[in-house]
Amino acid sequence: MSLTVGVLAIQGDAHENITSTQIALKELGIDGKVIGVKTTEDISKLDGLIIPGGESTTIGQLSLVNSSLKIIKEKIERGMPVLGICAGMILLSKSVNDHVLGKTNQPLLNLLDIKLERNSFGRQKESFEAEISMNSINIPKFNGVFIRAPSVSDVGPDVEILAKFNEKIIAVKKNNIIAVAFHPELIQDVSLHKYFVNLIKKLKTN
Ligand code: GLN
């Protein structure tokens, strides 16, 4: 069995996520390839998708225009695993408020029952790194890189909280959907990418 993992490559940190996922597959000894997803045709081939960090309004708007937002949503609803990182976390949410601007009217996938606050930790120059833990998925120590990161102010039923930082929720999971506020592709440690690849393998086998 070979896995095809896609990284949405419209805008943002696609390249770094492709590299981290390739390393994760190699370290796990799982046969698979990683593709940058640019067209709607690419989406049909995928066993799993990473929506990278970047600018959620840009990624959302461009995906809306080329219909990929709708096609991605349908695939995730049918069970395709997705890892949303920072802007990707925002796009997966059902409800988004900006820390400064309030209600945003941006295109969303509307899949994850969470209330999300954009730019929750301040501006670009307030970016920081912090040690976090995701014990429930066996990642007790992880270096979180926060760049204009969102946080989750409320979770709906069955949404599992994976991590908090300074009392704010920064990583969640519901079934095939994982969303994190920090950037795992910017560090050497690929344990979160490995966890995601293993989830894709497990859900493809079932
Ligand atoms: N704050 C950005 C947004 O709203 C996300 C930042 C990031 O992905 N690093 O899209």
Side-chain angles (χ1 to χ4, degrees), residues 21-37:
T21 311
Q22 283 166 338
I23 297 169
L25 283 166
K26 194 159 177 237
E27 287 188 7
L28 291 166
I30 294 176
D31 178 30
K33 62 173 187 293
V34 189
I35 60 170
V37 175

Side-chain angles (χ1 to χ4, degrees), residues 56-71:
S56 60
T57 49
T58 308
I59 301 174
Q61 199 58 47
L62 292 173
S63 318
L64 183 71
V65 170
N66 78 0
S67 299
S68 50
L69 205 63
K70 183 169 170 278
I71 299 169

Side-chain angles (χ1 to χ4, degrees), residues 83-102:
L83 169 62
I85 297 170
C86 201
M89 178 187 230
I90 297 168
L91 286 163
L92 287 167
S93 316
K94 286 196 173 170
S95 162
V96 175
N97 255 292
D98 188 281
H99 188 64
V100 178
L101 304 171

Side-chain angles (χ1 to χ4, degrees), residues 53-57 85-87 90 118-119 147-148 183:
E55 179 50 50
S56 60
T57 49
I85 297 170
C86 201
I90 297 168
R118 272 181 77 189
N119 301 308
I147 305 167
R148 291 197 303 128
H183 286 262

